[in-house]
Amino acid sequence: NGTLVFAGSSIITLSGIPTRLNNLTFSNTNTSGIALPESWIINGSLTIDAGSKVSGGANSYTIGGDLNINGEYVSGSSIITLSSTLGDVFVSDITSLNHLVIAANAVITLNTDVNLLGNFTNNGSIDAASPGAIVMAGDVNATIGGTATGLPNLTIAKTATTVTLGNNLTGVLLLAINSGTLATSTYAISQDAGGGMLFVQDNAMLKLEGTSSLPTFTITNLDTLSTVEFAGSTQTITNGSTTTFGNLVISTSGTKTA
């Protein structure tokens, strides 16, 4: 149950794959940072302190405890898998992860927003009381998938690229499409049983495919320059209430019911 700490201010070079790691902390302040050389399994928590810089490279990391990034994590093309059944996540706003996976049976609380440049795969559970959101950012197309559907808070903040669903989204408290496009593919989006909010900002797009209609939320706000595109087959345009669209686009044939 001990903790391995990489500290000081000198350059540190790592090599190899440890046979067992419990808690791992980086507090080294050398501006070159520390590059992780291989894919590691960390049975406990991973902590990157403020002032520290760690590079993930093209490796995969499984974390069995909390993820605390108060410094900088240079994600590269790395994959982080969270497997804790009671895991807390804190990620500083100067860090964007690449691919993030929540393992089967894991229960994760997002205590901060988590910026992702790659894909999000949810095979476990995100605590609905989490104050933080999954933020799909960057300029590369990405997917949201996995075997689990619950995602309380989701923000799309892409730069002229698309996030595509690979499963339904359920239990949504806040869906904010700030920039880029969210495409539903053949899947549906539904709010939390207690209600939820949908926002599509100016110049952002919600692309509804398959048989998806506009999702029903307690509060729906579509900005003047936002776009909702109906790109499926048989679809219902409205969600049963009076909806004011910014831009409404019907791009495919098939029955569209107002």
Side-chain angles (χ1 to χ4, degrees):
N1 296 323
T3 300
L4 175 63
V5 180
F6 292 100
S9 58
S10 299
I11 293 176
I12 294 177
T13 302
L14 302 178
S15 63
I17 302 174
T19 56
R20 181 174 176 84
L21 271 177
N22 192 43
N23 299 307
L24 178 61
T25 295
F26 293 93
S27 58
N28 178 272
T29 56
N30 190 280
T31 56
S32 296
I34 297 175
L36 298 177
E38 303 280 353
S39 296
W40 287 5
I41 296 175
I42 302 163
N43 295 315
S45 298
L46 171 63
T47 300
I48 301 173
D49 286 337
S52 293
K53 178 181 177 181
V54 176
S55 297
N59 303 315
S60 297
Y61 307 101
T62 299
I63 300 168
D66 299 334
L67 175 62
N68 302 299
I69 302 178
N70 297 305
E72 181 180 2
Y73 175 70
V74 182
S75 59
S77 58
S78 64
I79 302 171
I80 290 179
T81 298
L82 304 175
S83 62
S84 174
T85 56
L86 193 63
D88 285 303
V89 173
F90 299 82
V91 177
S92 69
D93 56 10
I94 64 171
T95 287
S96 293
L97 307 182
N98 186 44
H99 301 310
L100 178 64
V101 178
I102 298 178
N105 301 316
V107 180
I108 302 300
T109 299
L110 303 178
N111 293 284
T112 60
D113 288 349
V114 177
N115 295 322
L116 300 183
L117 302 177
N119 302 326
F120 175 60
T121 303
N122 184 12
N123 298 317
S125 177
I126 296 177
D127 186 345
S130 294
I134 293 293
V135 180
M136 306 296 287
D139 56 2
V140 177
N141 292 332
T143 61
I144 297 174
T147 59
T149 61
L151 184 52
N153 301 302
L154 172 64
T155 298
I156 308 299
K158 286 289 184 180
T159 304
T161 48
T162 299
V163 176
T164 302
L165 297 185
N167 202 345
N168 296 327
L169 290 185
T170 62
V172 180
L173 293 167
L174 173 61
L175 172 56
I177 306 173
N178 293 340
S179 59
T181 298
L182 175 63
T184 61
S185 185
T186 58
Y187 301 103
I189 300 170
S190 59
Q191 68 176 349
D192 182 76
M197 297 180 289
L198 167 64
F199 296 97
V200 184
Q201 304 291 344
D202 286 339
N203 303 311
M205 177 185 288
L206 173 60
K207 185 176 183 179
L208 300 167
E209 300 169 296
T211 58
S212 295
S213 60
L214 184 68
T216 299
F217 280 83
T218 304
I219 296 173
T220 297
N221 186 19
L222 310 175
D223 278 359
T224 304
L225 300 179
S226 68
T227 299
V228 177
E229 178 180 353
F230 288 84
S233 53
T234 301
Q235 295 177 282
T236 301
I237 301 299
T238 61
N239 56 11
S241 60
T242 301
T243 302
T244 301
F245 290 90
N247 296 297
L248 173 61
V249 175
I250 298 175
S251 61
T252 55
S253 60
T255 302
K256 306 294 190 290
T257 304

